[in-house]
Amino acid sequence: ALELKRQRSGECSKGGAGEEKAGAVGNMSDVLGDEVLKEQLTRNIQFFGEGVQLDLAKSFVVVVGLGGVGSHAAHFLLRSGVGKLRLVDFDQVTLSSLNRHALATRKDVGIPKATCLKKHFSEICPECEVESMVSLFDENTVEEVLGGNPDFVIDAIDNIDTKVKLLLECKNRGIEVLCVCGAGGKADPTRIKIADIAESTIDSLGRSVRHKLRRIHSFEGQIPALFSTETPRCGLVPFDDNQGNPLDFQIVPNFRVRTIPVLGTTPAIFGMAAAAYVLTYLAGAPLIPEPVVKIRLKELGLLFERLKDREEMAYGSYSGIKVDLDEVEYLVRSLWCGCCAFVLAGGPVEAAKLNKGLWRNTNQLALVRWN
């Protein structure tokens, strides 16, 4: 396989027949038969298995918004063997975006972000079918963006109105979608969570999207969201009045003019987390995140004491309990993810849809014998 890689690389770098060979690259569904492609994805195949890798090769994911978050999400969907990607963004690569973009270089400054990614993707994995759309998502481009029955959509847009439109359109069409909230002004990777958008109370972008969905569109939850519970370390950069009218700098109506400081590592982690969420979902083993709010030791102790009480009532003694408080913590937090077993009973896919990732009141929970 290594020798094949060298030969193919040499052919593609030459003119004439080499260019023709490069244009004749197969597609991702050849992953198990193409020796080079199979070796490139060998660690993925070992992780998921050949059958699931073939499913990924037949999958179609749309990524809307190709900044720091979206570019990294799309990048790792590509490297993980997703067969078709549609990349959507109206904006161009700028010098200031190079601190967080997944692949852009100084040579890419000034070209559309979608075009930039497609170019680099063709060098990394030419078997992937990549569509680049230099376009804003709105009522005029809905069909173009969401047509073709995508298996999943990643919303990496940083504008409230556009996010709301995309999320509603996906839900109305029955398309799975992940809403990625704000990564700007944040640095702590341990605070990143995935939960229902109804739980994104700390993230300002998620909160605004949630309020608009509920207030204007009467839509309540059931959209997974990726966000950080960290309080932003800095706010929007003030606009310099000496520069004139702020609206003169607005490329698109209703988009913010002021910028927010960004530590490049945070959107990168957001993007990779989004890719992991989508990949595991497509693999049929979706993530079931831990509760957003930490269940305190006092609450765990209360659950344990109530279990003892029920055991005494039913059996006259709680000596049959084979768990201690540490194991109760593991059961509640890691095994049951802070939610009722009935939520998980339908299997991981249904549980991922139903579980909001947080039960505010642990009085709703009770530990009982499974038998």
Side-chain angles (χ1 to χ4, degrees), residues 185-323:
K186 299 178 181 181
D188 189 348
T190 67
R191 300 291 190 91
I192 295 173
K193 302 290 183 181
I194 298 176
D196 191 87
I197 195 168
E199 309 302 339
S200 61
T201 55
I202 297 173
D203 181 90
S204 59
L205 180 59
R207 185 169 60 244
S208 298
V209 169
R210 186 182 73 253
H211 286 171
K212 199 153 196 171
L213 283 169
R214 184 174 65 241
R215 189 173 63 253
I216 300 177
H217 302 281
S218 301
F219 187 85
E220 294 282 352
Q222 294 303 303
I223 295 177
L226 192 158
F227 55 91
S228 171
T229 59
E230 181 183 11
T231 302
R233 300 182 178 217
C234 42
L236 292 170
V237 177
F239 187 82
D240 186 355
D241 294 334
N242 295 324
Q243 291 181 287
N245 186 352
L247 296 180
D248 292 338
F249 295 85
Q250 196 171 52
I251 302 174
V252 178
N254 300 320
F255 274 57
R256 73 165 189 263
V257 176
R258 294 193 298 163
T259 60
I260 186 168
V262 180
L263 181 65
T265 53
T266 305
I269 297 169
F270 267 56
M272 292 179 196
Y277 185 88
V278 173
L279 288 166
T280 52
Y281 183 90
L282 295 175
L287 305 178
I288 304 177
E290 288 186 337
V292 174
V293 173
K294 186 179 292 186
I295 300 175
R296 295 173 297 182
L297 188 61
K298 178 181 177 182
E299 294 163 336
L300 292 169
L302 183 60
L303 285 171
F304 192 31
E305 290 303 318
R306 288 175 176 171
L307 172 61
K308 291 179 179 179
D309 291 343
R310 281 191 297 276
E311 287 285 309
E312 284 192 329
M313 290 177 63
Y315 306 105
S317 169
Y318 62 81
S319 60
I321 298 176
K322 303 301 182 181
V323 295

Side-chain angles (χ1 to χ4, degrees), residues 315-337:
Y315 306 105
S317 169
Y318 62 81
S319 60
I321 298 176
K322 303 301 182 181
V323 295
D324 58 20
L325 187 56
D326 288 336
E327 290 167 325
V328 166
E329 181 179 10
Y330 170 79
L331 288 169
V332 173
R333 184 170 293 150
S334 299
L335 185 61
W336 298 111
C337 302

